[in-house]
Amino acid sequence: MDKQERAKPRVVLGVSGGIAAYKACELLRRLTESGHDVRVVPTAASLNFVGEATWSALSGNPATTEVWESVHEVPHVRIGQGADLVVVAPATADMLAKAAHGIADDLLTNTLLTARCPVVFAPAMHTEMWENPATQENVATLRRRGALVIEPAVGRLTGVDTGKGRFPDPAQIFELCRRVLARGPRAATADLAGRHVVVSAGGTREPLDPVRYLGNRSSGRQGYALAATAAARGARVTLVAGNTELPDPAGVDVVRIGTAVQLREAVLAAAGDADAVVMAAAVADFRPSEYATGKIKKKDGQEPEPVTLVRNPDILAELSADRPNRGQIVVGFAAETDDVLANGRTKLARKGCDLLVVNEVGEHKTFGSAENEAVILATDGSETPVPHGPKEALADTVWDLVAGRFAATADGS
Ligand SMILES: Cc1cc2nc3c(=O)[nH]c(=O)nc-3n(C[C@H](O)[C@H](O)[C@H](O)COP(=O)(O)O)c2cc1C
């Protein structure tokens, strides 16, 4: 192996015997094409779905299932020891059980016991298998030990069945792996594990008639980055998403809404048992006072009727005042066009939230962009500037501050 090869992050892709094994080929392609050195370790059962030749050819590395091959290289120890990330996708109910109980009867299960790096499981199975208390306890055990077990998606399963247990979109599992790798060894302990966080994203649309609405330019990208980074740090995430085309991040429960009133209902419903709520959505302050059930028509020789507006509920202030859990952290966003920091400080005091992410927005600024720049204001007077960079970096800084507050609450400080 030359120097350049060794510089590549080393990923072990464990494939267990679920029907979704074929979807792991796309995950493998994305990992190799983005510069990772991938060693595929399939289980014997998985070879019924995708053969060894496919894994070797796509990865450029041997793909063996048993500990008895190339014994002089001691693969049952070396593969796990040398990995920067192990991702088991798909993870069968059987594999979760073996991993939770420390069974080591093939190369993949041995690798899971020797890996010191972050470990991600992407379970896929029928709903009954997923919901079975045995599987749920195994998942809880793995999460407690620091593994990242992605919640399966809801949708079409093998045959005619639908429900929870579907393998998430491989592109989104890849994104999650990329985020975990970017966090480096810190990701070996998922610091938001066991936490439920609610994130709102996107913009609301306030209808005037069946074809028109008052909306805003929010793309949802900042909120989606917050949801995806929280999932990559082990949180259970509910994403309340308004009017965006973005794909669902892997392992995130997405609730779609249209208007500010719907957003309020969805956020309050999800916030009941949440440890943190981050309101990144661009919620309309006002809505038309009346909704025309038929399309509003032009009338010859007449000026249009003026549109009168009424206030929408202030969801951030409501959440901040009525926290269902003692210690629930509430984070707001302030999109300002001028006097950014001064307006931010006034808003933090008025809303009563713990943190306020203040950023400057405009027609060609922030909205729709993959990048952002902000200052995070806290009630203790601290200010955390986040330099211009990817929205994911801002998201990670928000979660660093939230995780710090969780830790302080746990310490009683
Ligand atoms: C057609 C077929 C599809 C299967 N799909 C799944 C699945 O999606 N998830 C799962 O947990 N088990 C599934 N199984 C059962 C596993 O293959 C079985 O539990 C096996 O022992 C898993 O071995 P492994 O965990 O070592 O790969 C399936 C079996 C068959 C025959």
Side-chain angles (χ1 to χ4, degrees):
M1 196 184 278
D2 65 21
K3 213 172 167 188
Q4 205 185 356
E5 282 282 300
R6 281 203 304 278
K8 289 180 172 181
R10 280 169 294 188
V11 176
V12 173
L13 172 58
V15 181
S16 52
I19 194 82
Y22 75 95
K23 296 183 182 171
C25 299
E26 188 191 332
L27 177 59
L28 172 57
R29 281 311 280 256
R30 286 177 184 265
L31 286 165
T32 53
E33 282 170 12
S34 55
H36 300 87
D37 178 22
V38 188
R39 173 88 192 231
V40 182
V41 183
T43 64
S46 79
L47 297 181
N48 292 303
F49 298 102
V50 180
E52 183 271 336
T54 303
W55 299 125
S56 313
L58 287 180
S59 67
N61 280 318
T64 45
T65 58
E66 300 303 330
V67 293
W68 306 112
E69 291 163 64
S70 308
V71 175
H72 63 289
E73 290 174 357
V74 206
H76 76 286
V77 177
R78 298 278 175 263
I79 295 174
Q81 280 179 336
D84 297 304
L85 172 73
V86 177
V87 50
V88 184
T92 57
D94 175 66
M95 183 52 58
L96 296 171
K98 283 180 173 170
H101 290 86
I103 291 170
D105 62 356
D106 66 3
L107 190 55
L108 178 54
T109 45
N110 275 272
T111 299
L112 286 168
L113 284 186
T114 53
R116 292 284 177 274
C117 60
V119 177
V120 175
F121 291 91
M125 63 199 70
H126 264 74
T127 311
E128 293 84 343
M129 292 176 89
W130 173 250
E131 288 179 349
N132 189 290
T135 305
Q136 286 301 307
E137 278 179 32
N138 292 329
V139 168
T141 300
L142 292 168
R143 284 181 175 154
R144 202 172 55 247
R145 291 182 191 147
L148 203 71
V149 186
I150 304 173
E151 283 292 305
V154 176
R156 186 82 190 265
L157 305 169
T158 317
V160 294
D161 298 341
T162 57
K164 187 158 185 171
R166 187 176 161 83
F167 190 68
D169 178 0
Q172 295 305 311
I173 298 177
F174 165 71
E175 287 299 326
L176 184 136
C177 291
R178 207 174 51 72
R179 282 190 186 95
V180 171
L181 275 166
R183 280 182 64 71
R186 283 185 306 165
T189 46
D191 62 349
L192 296 179
R195 301 291 183 176
H196 177 209
V197 304
V198 178
V199 177
S200 72
T204 57
R205 287 181 182 170
E206 307 300 325
L208 277 159
D209 69 16
V211 294
R212 303 184 182 94
Y213 58 82
L214 296 180
N216 60 61
R217 294 178 188 276
S218 172
S219 66
R221 292 177 81 150
Q222 185 60 66
Y224 271 62
L226 280 155
T229 47
R233 291 168 73 152
R236 175 162 75 85
V237 185
T238 306
L239 174 61
V240 179
N243 307 297
T244 147
E245 304 285 303
L246 297 171
D248 294 356
V252 169
D253 186 14
V254 183
V255 181
R256 297 196 183 277
I257 56 88
T259 65
V261 169
Q262 290 166 355
L263 187 133
R264 175 183 173 275
E265 276 169 27
V267 167
L268 293 186
D273 68 348
D275 299 292
V277 184
V278 181
M279 289 291 292
V283 184
D285 290 329
F286 311 105
R287 65 178 184 277
S289 59
E290 278 175 42
Y291 173 73
T293 51
K295 186 180 167 197
I296 301 166
K297 298 261 194 271
K298 274 188 292 195
K299 290 185 189 136
D300 283 347
Q302 285 184 21
E303 288 303 310
E305 293 288 324
V307 175
T308 52
L309 301 173
V310 291
R311 288 177 92 103
N312 268 327
D314 187 336
I315 308 166
L316 183 57
E318 189 175 348
L319 276 167
S320 303
D322 305 328
R323 302 177 196 212
N325 302 334
R326 216 173 58 87
Q328 184 178 74
I329 313 278
V330 179
V331 184
F333 270 68
E336 301 288 346
T337 52
D338 41 30
D339 274 339
V340 176
L341 272 187
N343 283 335
R345 283 194 197 95
T346 312
K347 185 168 175 180
L348 177 68
R350 195 175 66 242
K351 302 283 185 177
C353 51
D354 301 283
L355 298 168
L356 190 75
V357 184
V358 187
N359 57 5
E360 194 175 346
V361 295
E363 201 166 338
H364 303 293
K365 222 174 193 172
T366 301
F367 283 143
S369 158
E371 303 198 321
N372 207 347
E373 178 180 349
V375 178
I376 306 174
L377 306 178
T379 38
D380 61 9
S382 65
E383 293 182 6
T384 309
V386 185
H388 189 81
K391 286 184 172 172
E392 287 174 3
L394 173 57
D396 262 325
T397 308
V398 170
W399 293 126
D400 288 345
L401 294 171
V402 169
R405 276 160 177 73
F406 287 155
T409 314
D411 291 351
S413 50

